[in-house]
């Protein structure tokens, strides 16, 4: 095994004695405060769907978009991001999911003494619960959605019939109260039933909600009357659950229906027509039958991105009457799947404004599934609108988000290719002006022998002396562009070295130094050439 060709006594030692000096001046190399101003230089700026500006720059300052345009000057205090080959979009907006709220453990539901009249929490009736009290910026779902390009989420609690009030949050990593954009922005009716207690059926849920809504209508009317002329009237005494529905009754907030199936859409329309509240259809998977009615009544709709997978065909099935019936069933099921895949395109053609909802889709499938919808007729411009401007309008936050404009919150997505390109990768995401690097999404370069670092690893060395040759090992590691050298002698005693530098035509020469004490500080410089690895 060959070792280093030259080492300690074979090479010239360069030794300089450093006199100790007391320094009182400020260290010019001390860490500086990092500016929160950014200059996105010379990017392809997609300021809103269909508006593409090449060679534009963007200034971000204090969490806001301070300036955009082709002739924007670079601020002296800005961190510069060269965007010559990058695309900048408005941060995506999630209008319906459980992002940021940890799903509770699936524990056995408490038994009710009277299953026909259980406590509200057992029945899943908790409209007074607010997502603002549950949101956790450290929940992994926040980072996952942010990595997918989302900067804002409209989040509802987990639960059954009436899980609670949803609120709007920034998907940053600051304290929960700092991430809150708007509290109690909607009520939610997922059509989920309780097990073993009333209401345990969808029909029961509808009946129970009618009672709750009518009680809230009467309670609100009484409280308004009491405010005007309380004399002689008993003080209002409504439950928290009833009061939580007042905003739905007064139409100050909408009611979000989780309407995945055709029957759910039908039920939602029936209840709206009966009770007269404002509603949003969420997680819609089979809404094409009601497209004209949705259009006529201008119903806000959120299409699910949970695309059904194609069924695998059984190649071993024999041609019998039973298999023919199965084949007919599978054909209808595939037709239904195709209707789902073309639903977004149908809604676009009919002029129905929609956004996507993300309650039941894996975060890693979001961009793939949107590309699938595009392949089935949805335009890229409308797909981008469903990610940005449409949810901003639906949530009532268009003045602060959804487009890249001066004065809006600096929520941005930066990609290396157009966002719907299959090879596109998100490079950076800004949430209220804070930059998050998405290096993990970038393709890892292939490591070849030619590109591999030539000197990292374990080497043997021999020091020729007039007495006995000294042998040992040199361990070299590299982190980024920084090298670390550790020398171990025959007794396995280790010494770490500093000031490591690599040079030479083939990057095979290494220099470093040690500081030691010989009646003062002594700097010892070394220069080595490498032949073969251990």
């Amino acid at each position: 095994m060959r070792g280093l060709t030259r080492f300690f006594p074979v090479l010239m030692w360069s030794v300089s004695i450093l006199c100790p000096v007391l320094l009182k001046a400020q260290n010019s190399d001390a860490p500086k405060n990092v500016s929160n101003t950014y200059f996105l230089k010379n990017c392809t700026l997609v300021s809103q769907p269909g508006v593409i500006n090449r060679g534009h720059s963007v200034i971000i300052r204090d969490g806001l978009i301070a300036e955009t345009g082709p002739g924007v000057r670079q601020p002296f205090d800005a961190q510069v991001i060269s965007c010559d080959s990058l695309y900048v979009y408005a941060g995506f907006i999630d209008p319906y999911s459980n992002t940021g709220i940890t799903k509770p453990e699936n524990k056995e539901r408490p038994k009710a003494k009277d299953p026909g009249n259980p406590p509200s929490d057992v029945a899943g009736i908790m409209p007074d619960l607010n997502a603002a009290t549950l949101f956790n910026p450290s929940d992994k779902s926040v980072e996952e959605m942010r990595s997918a390009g989302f900067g804002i989420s409209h989040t509802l609690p987990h639960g059954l019939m009436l899980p609670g009030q949803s609120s709007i949050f920034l998907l940053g990593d600051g304290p929960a109260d700092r991430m809150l954009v708007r509290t109690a922005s909607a009520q939610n009716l997922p059509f989920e039933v309780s097990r073993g207690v009333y209401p345990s059926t969808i029909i029961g849920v509808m009946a129970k909600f009618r009672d709750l809504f009518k009680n809230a209508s009467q309670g609100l009317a009484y409280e308004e009357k009491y405010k005007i002329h309380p004399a002689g009237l008993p003080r209002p005494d409504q439950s928290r659950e009833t009061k939580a529905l007042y905003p739905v009754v007064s139409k100050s907030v909408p009611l979000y229906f989780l309407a995945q199936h055709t029957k759910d859409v039908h039920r939602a329309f029936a209840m709206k027509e009966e009770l007269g509240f404002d509603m949003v259809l969420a997680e819609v998977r089979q809404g094409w039958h009601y497209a004209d009615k949705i259009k006529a009544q201008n119903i806000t709709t959120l299409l699910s991105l949970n695309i059904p997978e194609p069924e695998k065909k059984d190649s071993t099935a024999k041609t019998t009457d039973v298999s023919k019936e199965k084949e007919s069933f599978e054909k209808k099921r595939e037709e239904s799947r195709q209707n789902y895949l073309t639903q977004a395109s149908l809604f676009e053609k009919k002029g129905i404004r929609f956004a996507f909802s993300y309650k039941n889709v894996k975060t890693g499938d979001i961009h793939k599934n949107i590309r699938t919808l595009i392949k089935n007729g949805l335009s890229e411009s409308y797909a981008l609108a469903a990610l940005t401007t449409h949810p901003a309008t639906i949530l009532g936050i268009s003045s602060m988000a959804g487009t890249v404009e001066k004065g809006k919150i600096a929520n941005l997505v930066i990609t290396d290719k157009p966002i719907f390109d299959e090879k596109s990768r998100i490079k950076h995401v800004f949430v209220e002006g804070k930059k998050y690097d998405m290096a993990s999404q970038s393709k890892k370069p292939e490591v070849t022998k030619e590109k591999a670092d030539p000197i990292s690893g374990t080497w043997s060395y021999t020091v020729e002396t007039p007495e006995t040759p000294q042998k040992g090992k040199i361990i070299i590691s590299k982190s980024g562009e920084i090298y670390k050298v550790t020398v171990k002698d025959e007794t396995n005693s280790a010494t770490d070295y500093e000031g490591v530098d690599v040079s030479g035509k083939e990057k095979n020469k290494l220099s470093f130094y040690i500081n030691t004490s010989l009646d003062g500080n002594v700097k010892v410089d070394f220069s080595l050439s490498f032949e073969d690895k251990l």
Side-chain angles (χ1 to χ4, degrees):
M1 192 68 66
R2 301 181 64 189
L4 299 179
T5 57
R6 296 185 294 277
F7 200 66
F8 300 158
V10 179
L11 301 173
M12 295 297 295
W13 285 21
S14 172
V15 181
S16 55
I17 305 299
L18 304 179
C19 298
V21 178
L22 181 61
L23 299 178
K24 294 185 178 181
Q26 183 177 353
N27 184 358
S28 61
D29 293 329
K32 308 293 192 303
N33 291 328
V34 178
S35 170
N36 65 355
T37 300
Y38 290 88
F39 185 65
L40 311 184
K41 184 178 180 181
N42 195 32
C43 60
T44 297
L45 175 63
V46 185
S47 57
Q48 58 184 301
V51 180
I52 302 175
N53 306 286
R54 303 188 186 281
H56 277 220
S57 297
V58 180
I59 297 176
I60 298 172
R61 181 179 288 114
D62 298 328
L64 299 175
I65 299 171
E67 198 70 55
T68 70
V72 177
R73 292 186 177 182
Q74 175 182 328
F76 75 93
D77 61 339
Q79 298 185 60
V80 179
I81 299 178
S82 180
C83 298
D84 291 343
S85 60
L86 302 180
Y87 295 76
V88 177
Y89 300 85
F92 305 146
I93 300 171
D94 158 25
Y96 187 79
S97 75
N98 302 114
T99 300
I101 299 182
T102 304
K103 188 174 183 178
E105 295 181 8
N106 189 21
K107 296 181 179 180
E108 184 178 352
R109 190 172 300 281
K111 294 181 180 180
K113 294 182 179 179
D114 182 3
N117 186 30
S120 295
D121 59 336
V122 176
I125 301 171
M126 304 182 69
D128 55 315
L129 185 63
N130 193 324
T133 65
L134 303 173
F135 185 79
N136 177 14
S138 298
D139 190 87
K140 67 177 183 178
S141 61
V142 172
E143 182 180 0
E144 288 173 354
M145 287 296 281
R146 187 171 62 231
S147 297
F150 290 82
I152 291 177
S153 180
H154 180 219
T155 297
L156 70 148
H158 293 278
L160 297 174
M161 176 180 163
L162 285 168
Q165 305 163 47
S166 46
S167 297
I168 303 172
F169 302 91
L170 289 167
L171 298 182
D173 56 4
D177 58 341
R178 283 279 295 113
M179 297 299 103
L180 181 63
V181 174
R182 183 176 298 165
T183 186
S185 58
Q187 274 288 353
N188 299 274
L189 186 63
F191 280 131
E192 298 284 347
V193 300
S194 301
R195 299 189 302 272
V197 297
Y198 178 80
S200 58
T201 65
I202 296 297
I203 299 300
V205 168
M206 295 174 67
K208 181 64 175 178
F209 182 77
R210 287 190 187 96
D211 289 342
L212 293 170
F213 187 89
K214 290 177 180 178
N215 288 340
S217 297
Q218 294 172 0
L220 179 60
Y222 185 83
E223 288 200 11
E224 292 297 330
K225 181 180 179 180
Y226 186 84
K227 287 179 183 177
I228 296 173
H229 190 68
L233 297 176
R235 185 175 59 85
D237 185 21
Q238 300 293 334
S239 67
R240 292 182 313 219
E241 293 86 0
T242 299
K243 289 184 177 181
L245 291 176
Y246 285 177
V248 177
V249 171
S250 64
K251 296 185 178 182
S252 58
V253 302
L255 184 66
Y256 278 61
F257 280 88
L258 195 150
Q260 299 184 82
H261 307 294
T262 301
K263 289 183 179 180
D264 297 330
V265 177
H266 173 77
R267 291 165 180 148
F269 269 110
M271 294 185 69
K272 172 181 167 55
E273 290 166 3
E274 177 186 349
L275 302 175
F277 47 76
D278 289 340
M279 80 171 180
V280 174
L281 295 174
E283 278 293 308
V284 175
R285 303 181 72 187
Q286 298 175 344
W288 54 85
H289 296 296
Y290 288 88
D292 290 334
K293 192 170 185 177
I294 290 171
K295 170 67 174 177
Q297 296 191 22
N298 194 29
I299 302 298
T300 298
T301 306
L302 307 178
L303 301 184
S304 174
L305 270 180
N306 184 20
I307 295 178
E309 295 292 335
E311 292 292 325
K312 294 182 179 180
K313 294 184 178 181
D314 185 2
S315 59
T316 63
K318 297 181 180 180
T319 307
T320 64
D321 292 339
V322 176
S323 65
K324 286 181 178 179
E325 290 178 4
K326 182 179 180 181
E327 182 179 347
S328 176
F329 172 76
E330 290 179 348
K331 182 178 179 180
K332 290 181 180 179
R333 182 162 52 187
E334 181 58 24
E335 287 176 354
S336 177
R337 180 175 181 272
Q338 286 302 315
N339 284 332
Y340 178 82
L341 295 179
T342 58
Q343 179 174 240
S345 174
L346 173 67
F347 276 44
E348 178 185 358
K349 291 175 182 176
K350 288 183 175 293
I352 301 173
R353 182 181 63 202
F354 66 85
F356 298 120
S357 57
Y358 308 92
K359 181 174 171 59
N360 294 316
V361 65
K362 295 179 181 178
T363 308
D365 290 340
I366 289 175
H367 290 278
K368 178 191 70 174
N369 290 356
I370 293 176
R371 289 195 297 268
T372 297
L373 298 182
I374 290 172
K375 290 177 181 177
N376 283 273
L378 178 64
S379 72
E380 291 190 2
S381 179
Y382 220 79
L384 183 59
L387 286 166
T388 55
T389 53
H390 288 181
T393 300
I394 290 168
L395 297 178
I397 56 173
S398 293
S399 61
M400 65 177 72
T403 59
V404 186
E405 296 180 73
K406 181 178 179 179
K408 292 195 173 183
I409 295 176
N411 285 0
L412 302 172
V413 182
I414 303 177
T415 63
D416 59 356
K417 289 180 176 60
I419 187 64
F420 299 120
D421 189 305
E422 289 190 6
K423 296 182 179 179
S424 178
R425 295 291 182 272
I426 295 175
K427 305 291 289 184
H428 312 285
V429 172
F430 281 87
V431 177
E432 199 175 26
K434 182 173 181 177
K435 182 168 71 75
Y436 298 86
D437 296 323
M438 301 298 155
S440 60
Q441 291 195 6
S442 302
K443 287 186 175 180
K444 296 181 180 180
E446 295 183 2
V447 178
T448 62
K449 291 184 179 180
E450 290 74 20
K451 293 183 179 179
D453 181 60
I455 66 172
S456 293
T458 302
W459 300 79
S460 63
Y461 72 82
T462 300
V463 178
E464 299 292 343
T465 69
E467 302 177 358
T468 304
Q470 303 295 319
K471 298 181 179 181
K473 296 178 181 179
I474 296 179
I475 302 169
I476 304 171
S477 59
K478 185 179 181 183
S479 176
E481 296 300 318
I482 300 175
Y483 283 89
K484 178 183 177 182
V485 175
T486 300
V487 177
K488 292 185 176 181
D489 60 19
E490 292 176 299
T491 66
N492 212 34
S493 176
T495 304
D496 291 332
Y497 292 76
E498 304 173 44
V500 182
D501 181 57
V502 177
S503 62
K505 185 177 180 180
E506 297 178 359
K507 295 291 184 181
N508 64 337
K509 294 184 181 297
L510 182 73
S511 62
F512 56 87
Y513 68 86
I514 61 171
N515 281 315
T516 186
S517 176
L518 295 173
D519 295 328
N521 290 330
V522 177
K523 178 182 178 184
V524 183
D525 294 300
F526 298 93
S527 180
L528 312 177
S529 294
F530 294 82
E531 290 183 352
D532 294 318
K533 276 191 178 180
L534 256 178

Short mmCIF file of all heavy atoms in Angstrom, two decimals, residues 37-40 57-61 64-69 72-75 78 410 412:
data_model
loop_
_atom_site.label_atom_id
_atom_site.label_comp_id
_atom_site.label_asym_id
_atom_site.label_seq_id
_atom_site.Cartn_x
_atom_site.Cartn_y
_atom_site.Cartn_z
N THR A 37 -34.50 41.92 3.57
CA THR A 37 -34.82 42.43 2.24
C THR A 37 -34.19 41.51 1.20
O THR A 37 -33.03 41.15 1.30
CB THR A 37 -34.27 43.86 2.06
OG1 THR A 37 -34.88 44.71 3.04
CG2 THR A 37 -34.59 44.40 0.67
N TYR A 38 -34.98 41.13 0.20
CA TYR A 38 -34.51 40.25 -0.87
C TYR A 38 -34.72 40.93 -2.22
O TYR A 38 -35.68 41.68 -2.41
CB TYR A 38 -35.25 38.91 -0.85
CG TYR A 38 -34.92 38.04 0.32
CD1 TYR A 38 -35.62 38.15 1.52
CD2 TYR A 38 -33.91 37.08 0.25
CE1 TYR A 38 -35.33 37.35 2.61
CE2 TYR A 38 -33.60 36.26 1.33
CZ TYR A 38 -34.31 36.40 2.50
OH TYR A 38 -34.01 35.60 3.58
N PHE A 39 -33.81 40.62 -3.13
CA PHE A 39 -33.90 41.12 -4.50
C PHE A 39 -33.88 39.92 -5.42
O PHE A 39 -32.85 39.26 -5.58
CB PHE A 39 -32.73 42.06 -4.80
CG PHE A 39 -32.81 42.72 -6.15
CD1 PHE A 39 -33.83 43.60 -6.45
CD2 PHE A 39 -31.86 42.45 -7.13
CE1 PHE A 39 -33.92 44.22 -7.69
CE2 PHE A 39 -31.92 43.06 -8.38
CZ PHE A 39 -32.95 43.95 -8.66
N LEU A 40 -35.03 39.59 -6.00
CA LEU A 40 -35.13 38.49 -6.96
C LEU A 40 -34.82 39.08 -8.33
O LEU A 40 -35.65 39.77 -8.92
CB LEU A 40 -36.53 37.87 -6.93
CG LEU A 40 -37.08 37.51 -5.53
CD1 LEU A 40 -38.42 36.81 -5.66
CD2 LEU A 40 -36.09 36.65 -4.77
N SER A 57 -37.83 41.93 -12.00
CA SER A 57 -37.23 41.71 -10.68
C SER A 57 -38.26 42.02 -9.61
O SER A 57 -39.22 42.75 -9.84
CB SER A 57 -35.98 42.58 -10.50
OG SER A 57 -34.98 42.24 -11.44
N VAL A 58 -38.03 41.47 -8.42
CA VAL A 58 -38.96 41.64 -7.31
C VAL A 58 -38.18 42.00 -6.07
O VAL A 58 -37.16 41.38 -5.76
CB VAL A 58 -39.77 40.34 -7.04
CG1 VAL A 58 -40.73 40.54 -5.87
CG2 VAL A 58 -40.52 39.89 -8.29
N ILE A 59 -38.65 43.01 -5.35
CA ILE A 59 -38.06 43.39 -4.06
C ILE A 59 -39.02 42.96 -2.95
O ILE A 59 -40.21 43.27 -2.99
CB ILE A 59 -37.80 44.90 -3.96
CG1 ILE A 59 -36.79 45.34 -5.02
CG2 ILE A 59 -37.30 45.28 -2.57
CD1 ILE A 59 -36.55 46.84 -5.05
N ILE A 60 -38.48 42.25 -1.97
CA ILE A 60 -39.23 41.84 -0.79
C ILE A 60 -38.66 42.58 0.41
O ILE A 60 -37.45 42.55 0.64
CB ILE A 60 -39.13 40.32 -0.57
CG1 ILE A 60 -39.73 39.57 -1.76
CG2 ILE A 60 -39.81 39.92 0.73
CD1 ILE A 60 -39.48 38.07 -1.70
N ARG A 61 -39.51 43.24 1.16
CA ARG A 61 -39.04 43.97 2.34
C ARG A 61 -40.10 43.90 3.44
O ARG A 61 -41.28 44.15 3.19
CB ARG A 61 -38.73 45.43 2.00
CG ARG A 61 -38.20 46.24 3.20
CD ARG A 61 -37.88 47.68 2.85
NE ARG A 61 -36.67 47.77 2.03
CZ ARG A 61 -36.65 48.19 0.78
NH1 ARG A 61 -37.78 48.54 0.18
NH2 ARG A 61 -35.52 48.26 0.11
N LEU A 64 -43.39 42.00 2.87
CA LEU A 64 -44.29 42.43 1.81
C LEU A 64 -43.55 42.53 0.47
O LEU A 64 -42.32 42.61 0.43
CB LEU A 64 -44.90 43.80 2.13
CG LEU A 64 -45.75 43.89 3.40
CD1 LEU A 64 -46.16 45.33 3.64
CD2 LEU A 64 -46.97 42.99 3.32
N ILE A 65 -44.31 42.51 -0.61
CA ILE A 65 -43.74 42.77 -1.93
C ILE A 65 -43.63 44.28 -2.07
O ILE A 65 -44.63 45.00 -2.11
CB ILE A 65 -44.63 42.18 -3.04
CG1 ILE A 65 -44.73 40.66 -2.87
CG2 ILE A 65 -44.09 42.53 -4.41
CD1 ILE A 65 -45.75 40.01 -3.78
N ALA A 66 -42.40 44.78 -2.11
CA ALA A 66 -42.17 46.22 -2.13
C ALA A 66 -42.17 46.79 -3.54
O ALA A 66 -42.56 47.95 -3.74
CB ALA A 66 -40.84 46.56 -1.44
N GLU A 67 -41.74 45.99 -4.52
CA GLU A 67 -41.65 46.51 -5.89
C GLU A 67 -41.49 45.34 -6.85
O GLU A 67 -40.89 44.31 -6.52
CB GLU A 67 -40.45 47.46 -6.03
CG GLU A 67 -40.49 48.36 -7.24
CD GLU A 67 -41.58 49.43 -7.13
OE1 GLU A 67 -41.59 50.18 -6.13
OE2 GLU A 67 -42.44 49.46 -8.03
N THR A 68 -42.04 45.50 -8.06
CA THR A 68 -41.81 44.55 -9.14
C THR A 68 -41.66 45.34 -10.44
O THR A 68 -42.17 46.45 -10.56
CB THR A 68 -42.97 43.54 -9.31
OG1 THR A 68 -44.12 44.23 -9.82
CG2 THR A 68 -43.32 42.87 -8.01
N GLY A 69 -40.95 44.76 -11.40
CA GLY A 69 -40.83 45.42 -12.69
C GLY A 69 -39.52 45.12 -13.38
O GLY A 69 -38.63 44.49 -12.80
N VAL A 72 -36.32 47.64 -11.91
CA VAL A 72 -36.22 47.83 -10.47
C VAL A 72 -34.76 47.81 -10.04
O VAL A 72 -34.00 46.92 -10.43
CB VAL A 72 -37.01 46.73 -9.72
CG1 VAL A 72 -36.84 46.88 -8.22
CG2 VAL A 72 -38.48 46.79 -10.09
N ARG A 73 -34.36 48.79 -9.24
CA ARG A 73 -32.98 48.86 -8.77
C ARG A 73 -32.77 47.99 -7.54
O ARG A 73 -33.62 47.90 -6.67
CB ARG A 73 -32.60 50.30 -8.45
CG ARG A 73 -32.52 51.21 -9.67
CD ARG A 73 -32.00 52.57 -9.28
NE ARG A 73 -31.85 53.45 -10.44
CZ ARG A 73 -31.37 54.69 -10.39
NH1 ARG A 73 -30.99 55.19 -9.21
NH2 ARG A 73 -31.27 55.41 -11.49
N GLN A 74 -31.61 47.41 -7.49
CA GLN A 74 -31.27 46.54 -6.37
C GLN A 74 -31.02 47.37 -5.11
O GLN A 74 -30.18 48.26 -5.10
CB GLN A 74 -30.01 45.73 -6.70
CG GLN A 74 -29.49 44.88 -5.56
CD GLN A 74 -28.22 44.15 -5.93
OE1 GLN A 74 -28.02 43.78 -7.08
NE2 GLN A 74 -27.36 43.95 -4.94
N PRO A 75 -31.73 47.10 -4.00
CA PRO A 75 -31.47 47.81 -2.75
C PRO A 75 -30.08 47.47 -2.22
O PRO A 75 -29.60 46.34 -2.38
CB PRO A 75 -32.57 47.28 -1.81
CG PRO A 75 -33.62 46.73 -2.70
CD PRO A 75 -32.89 46.21 -3.90
N ALA A 78 -30.00 44.43 0.28
CA ALA A 78 -30.78 43.24 -0.07
C ALA A 78 -29.91 42.00 -0.24
O ALA A 78 -28.76 42.08 -0.69
CB ALA A 78 -31.57 43.49 -1.35
N ALA A 410 -45.60 38.83 0.94
CA ALA A 410 -44.56 38.21 0.11
C ALA A 410 -44.60 36.70 0.28
O ALA A 410 -43.73 36.08 0.88
CB ALA A 410 -43.19 38.76 0.48
N LEU A 412 -44.36 33.62 -2.08
CA LEU A 412 -43.91 33.36 -3.44
C LEU A 412 -43.42 31.92 -3.58
O LEU A 412 -42.97 31.31 -2.62
CB LEU A 412 -42.78 34.32 -3.83
CG LEU A 412 -43.08 35.82 -3.76
CD1 LEU A 412 -41.80 36.61 -3.97
CD2 LEU A 412 -44.13 36.21 -4.78
#
